[in-house]
Amino acid sequence: VNQILLLLLVLTVCAILYNKVHQVPSALKNETVDLESPDEMEEEIPVVICAAAGRMGAAVAAINSIYSNTEANVLFYIVGLKTTIPHIRKWIENSKLKEIKFKVVEFNPMVLRGKIRQDASRPELLQPLNFVRFYLPLLTQKHEKVIYLDDDIIVQGDIQELYYTKLAPGHAAAFSDDCDLPSTHEMVRSVGMQNTYMGFLDYRKQAIRDLGISPSTCSFNPGVIVANMTEWKHQRITKQLEKWMQRNVEENLYSSTLGGGVATSPMLIVFHRKYSTINPMWHVRHLGWSPDTRYSEHFLQEAKLLHWNGRYKPWDYPSVHPDLWENWFIPDPSGKFKLTRPDS
């Protein structure tokens, strides 16, 4: 009996020693307390916005409004020309925006050679950065879904809501339909804005008539885009847009004397009946079309995104609802960009 008890004691001691020697340190264990699973990782929301010379204050205000109204993991792609990049980088790094996640991307205007027809009536529409939206897959290569925003916008809602806009199968992008918001119809009529294809394409040209698109078809605004990069690349959207740009150079199919200039028209052709729609409150536009026509304050407070498309920008004078824009403006540390106000 004593021998058996002694044997059991020895086996117990050996078992205790074995467990101590082979015990796995807690730091190496697969414990969810310390390690974040892939399902729990926050999705990155890429937002593309341009920083053009003379308009950098617009990009800064737009970025600030997005950053201040969301807890989402936003990555800003700030696109500029070689000469403007140092300015926008310094502006961000020397302001409250130094906390944002961003990449500065240089856009090479050489990709537009032979694709833009010179038009003196509105030369600002021919600036290279107006065409950045055509080349989204080249700028944001690792993302499946991307938001593109014009610089003359203010976001009052949570950008996550816009990001989760559903795109129908086979659609490479979502836009705001120009006939979608009854609250804007009276403004459209009062200032003579165009909201059909007739206002953008020259239906006297055979190439336009051959498209078979009714001139009364409602247009859309590409100042706010939610894009699916897989579909964009699969459908070769960039190549299609470039084809129509080159045809316009040769045949003058559209021009800036019409409603939307030279960047909207090829998109209207390529995406005809092939796009999903964005919630109208996520693109309340036309704030820059007239210095006199105003929306109601209640309507503007409900809007998720405001767009000063048109000639009258909120950093210039005259303009409408400049206070809503100036709330998000961050002064230029270098002093180069200044607001134009009645008493300035």
Side-chain angles (χ1 to χ4, degrees), residues 287-334:
L287 276 76
W289 271 86
S290 168
D292 303 311
T293 308
R294 302 174 64 89
Y295 287 114
S296 74
E297 293 301 324
H298 174 73
F299 177 70
L300 293 176
Q301 288 172 5
E302 295 295 317
K304 305 286 189 175
L305 182 149
L306 305 174
H307 188 185
W308 279 263
N309 57 312
R311 296 174 183 266
Y312 300 96
K313 303 303 184 185
W315 55 89
D316 282 335
Y317 181 82
S319 63
V320 295
H321 307 293
D323 53 313
L324 293 175
W325 180 87
E326 200 167 337
N327 285 339
W328 305 104
F329 175 66
I330 299 173
D332 183 0
S334 73

Side-chain angles (χ1 to χ4, degrees), residues 45 157-165 279 282 304:
I45 298 178
D158 188 335
I159 198 71
Q160 288 184 96
E161 188 179 329
L162 178 62
Y163 181 73
Y164 290 123
T165 297
N279 181 332
W282 266 102
K304 305 286 189 175

Side-chain angles (χ1 to χ4, degrees), residues 17-145:
L17 291 173
Y18 179 87
N19 286 334
K20 283 188 174 291
V21 171
H22 292 85
Q23 189 176 27
V24 179
S26 60
L28 299 181
K29 288 183 180 178
N30 187 18
E31 295 180 350
T32 57
V33 173
D34 297 319
L35 299 176
E36 189 175 34
S37 70
D39 292 338
E40 294 172 338
M41 292 179 68
E42 191 176 9
E43 186 171 5
E44 195 170 64
I45 298 178
V47 176
V48 177
I49 194 163
C50 296
R55 296 170 62 113
M56 287 190 193
V60 167
I63 291 169
N64 186 32
S65 70
I66 296 166
Y67 173 66
S68 300
N69 286 306
T70 187
E71 296 294 328
N73 180 22
V74 179
L75 172 60
F76 292 96
Y77 284 86
I78 304 171
V79 187
L81 301 180
K82 186 175 183 178
T83 55
T84 62
I85 283 176
H87 186 186
I88 191 65
R89 184 184 293 278
K90 182 179 179 182
W91 198 331
I92 290 172
E93 292 177 348
N94 289 276
S95 71
K96 63 175 282 189
L97 295 180
K98 63 186 177 183
E99 303 296 333
I100 70 171
K101 289 174 59 178
F102 73 101
K103 294 182 180 180
V104 176
V105 182
E106 180 183 343
F107 183 70
N108 186 352
M110 292 301 293
V111 301
L112 301 173
R113 176 176 284 184
K115 302 182 182 74
I116 300 178
R117 184 184 184 88
Q118 295 303 313
D119 194 322
S121 59
R122 290 193 66 185
E124 73 276 10
L125 296 177
L126 302 177
Q127 295 301 315
L129 295 182
N130 279 338
F131 301 92
V132 162
R133 71 198 89 190
F134 291 11
Y135 298 93
L136 293 177
L138 302 180
L139 302 169
T140 59
Q141 297 181 9
K142 69 173 185 175
H143 301 286
E144 169 69 13
K145 199 173 186 182

